[in-house]
Structure formats: C-alpha cells, structure tokens
C-alpha cells in the first residue's frame, strides 16, 4: 500500500473508532441509568415490604440479573465494582482500581461524586477496547447494609452469604463503588 493510501485507511479507521467510542459512551450512560434506577426501585420496594432481610435477596439476586440482562441488551459487559467488595466476583481489575483511586482523590479535592465519570478507548494490536466507569455515592438507605451500625440479624445474614465481605463501614456521602462498562472489538 502506498503511504498516502495507508494514511487514509488509518485515518478512516481512527475516525470510525472515534464514532464507535462516542456511541459506546452514550449507550453506556443509558445502561448505567437503567441499572441504577431499576435496582434502586427494587431495593426500596423490598425494604418497604419485607425489610432489609428481603432486600438482601434483591441485591444478591436482582443485581446480577440486571447486570446480565443489560450486558446482553447492549452487547457489552456492565457491572458494579468497588475498592471494598461484598461479592468477590465484583472485585476491581487493575484499570478499575486505578480509576477508583482517582475518583477518591478527586472527591477529596471537593469534586461532586455525581460528576465522577471516565470513558476511555484503547487501541492495541488491532484490538479496540472501550471502558467506562461512573462513581456510586453512598446514600442513607445504603447504610443499613454497608454502614457501621448494622443490625445483628442483617449482619448474620450478610456473613452467611458473604464470608469475605469487605463492604461495610461506609459513611453517608462516601464513594461506595462504581458502575463499570467494557467492550472489546477486533
Ligand atoms: C439490604 C441490604 C443492602 C442495601 C440496603 C444496599 N446494599 Fe449494596 N449490596 C448488598 C449485597 C447483598 C451486595 C452483594 C451483591 C452481589 O452478590 O452481587 C451488595 C453489593 C453492592 C455493590 C457491588 C460491589 C460489591 O460490594 O460487591 C455496590 C456498588 C453496592 N452494593 C452499592 C449500594 C448502594 C449505593 C446502596 C444504596 C443505594 C446499597 N448498595 C444498598 C446489600 C445491600
């Protein structure tokens, strides 16, 4: 291929990847919103009807189900993660950990948690990877199961389901974790 043609091809593919990334960011945001509202609605409804014990089963079963459903619908992986996880399968990978540390330090500098968001596109050996994360604040309702004064009955249930639980001791307004979205294309 001559140089000019090669440059054109490279530019075109870069351009289409930029479009792909823009679309990914848009859809990722929509999926995150859907995840957050659906989960919160089920959580609040369960807390009202059956209290925290019933609500634990929402987080335990409904959260992974929503995650799987949205991943299928949008053709990417969407889930939740944190620096202190309850479910070990939500453990952050090195990239996610770095972003979570950045979020924490930005928050310490006075940044509003609601604005903490990142979307990145990486190209490596013909492989396109797109990732995004959005911080999740700790609200009042979250403290029932992620705070410091957890009811002993609730704590016993959490211990039974999550023997390696690290996700307690959070305070109102802390970053609880983040939604994380990932897509790889070739
Ligand atoms: C009734 C108990 C309960 C309440 C209330 C609750 N959670 Fe959780 N949370 C859980 C359980 C159980 C899990 C583990 C879910 C799983 O197995 O994937 C979890 C997991 C998470 C995770 C995924 C990372 C991890 O630790 O495994 C995040 C993020 C999270 N919760 C945020 C919140 C936020 C934000 C709120 C308040 C809006 C909240 N939770 C309220 C019980 C609760």
């Amino acid at each position: 291929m001559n140089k000019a043609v090669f440059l054109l091809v490279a530019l075109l593919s870069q351009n289409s990847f930029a479009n792909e990334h823009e679309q990914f960011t848009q859809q990722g945001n929509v999926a995150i919103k859907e995840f957050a509202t659906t989960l919160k609605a089920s959580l609040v409804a369960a807390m009202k009807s059956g209290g925290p014990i019933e609500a634990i089963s929402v987080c335990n079963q409904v959260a992974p189900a929503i995650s799987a459903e949205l991943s299928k619908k949008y053709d990417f992986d969407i889930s939740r993660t944190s620096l202190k996880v309850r479910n070990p399968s939500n453990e952050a990978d090195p990239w996610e950990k770095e972003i979570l540390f950045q979020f924490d330090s930005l928050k310490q500098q006075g940044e509003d948690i609601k604005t903490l968001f990142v979307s990145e596109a990486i190209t490596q050996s013909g492989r396109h990877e797109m990732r995004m994360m959005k911080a999740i604040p700790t609200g009042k309702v979250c403290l029932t199961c992620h705070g410091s004064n957890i009811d002993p009955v609730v704590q016993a249930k959490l211990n039974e389901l999550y023997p390696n639980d690290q996700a307690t001791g959070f305070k109102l307004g802390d970053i609880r974790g983040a939604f994380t979205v990932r897509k790889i294309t070739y």
Side-chain angles (χ1 to χ4, degrees), residues 24-127:
F24 167 79
T25 307
Q26 256 172 30
Q27 289 192 339
N29 267 314
V30 172
I32 286 172
K33 214 168 263 168
E34 202 172 327
F35 200 156
T37 45
T38 318
L39 186 57
K40 188 121 185 233
S42 323
L43 181 71
V44 171
M47 289 282 266
K48 273 203 185 122
S49 69
I53 297 292
E54 188 176 316
I56 288 176
S57 66
V58 167
C59 300
N60 175 248
Q61 285 155 35
V62 177
I66 298 174
S67 161
E69 193 190 307
L70 290 174
S71 298
K72 203 168 144 203
K73 178 170 164 189
Y74 290 101
D75 191 27
F76 49 46
D77 288 322
I78 178 166
S79 58
R80 295 181 305 163
T81 188
S82 175
L83 289 171
K84 296 202 291 174
V85 290
R86 172 151 289 161
N87 185 334
S89 67
N90 294 328
E91 182 83 37
D93 70 17
W95 185 83
E96 290 166 331
K97 276 193 184 139
E98 198 181 310
I99 301 295
L100 287 164
F101 282 126
Q102 279 177 25
F103 282 176
D104 267 344
S105 91
L106 285 165
K107 193 213 155 216
Q108 257 154 40
Q109 289 163 40
E111 211 65 57
D112 182 352
I113 299 178
K114 288 197 196 97
T115 65
L116 298 177
F117 161 83
V118 81
S119 181
E120 239 179 63
I122 307 143
T123 307
Q124 218 171 29
S125 345
R127 176 175 177 267

Side-chain angles (χ1 to χ4, degrees), residues 3-18:
K3 223 175 179 176
V5 173
F6 175 75
L7 191 69
L8 182 66
V9 171
L11 279 174
L12 282 175
S13 78
Q14 226 173 46
N15 210 2
S16 80
F17 186 41

Side-chain angles (χ1 to χ4, degrees), residues 115-163:
T115 65
L116 298 177
F117 161 83
V118 81
S119 181
E120 239 179 63
I122 307 143
T123 307
Q124 218 171 29
S125 345
R127 176 175 177 267
H128 292 166
E129 179 172 356
M130 295 174 289
R131 307 194 68 162
M132 72 185 268
M133 279 177 90
K134 188 175 192 319
I136 305 173
T138 308
K140 200 166 162 229
V141 63
C142 320
L143 301 177
T144 315
C145 300
H146 295 295
S148 301
N149 290 316
I150 299 174
D151 180 282
V153 179
V154 175
Q155 187 62 67
K157 185 72 188 169
L158 290 173
N159 291 347
E160 181 194 318
L161 291 167
Y162 305 97

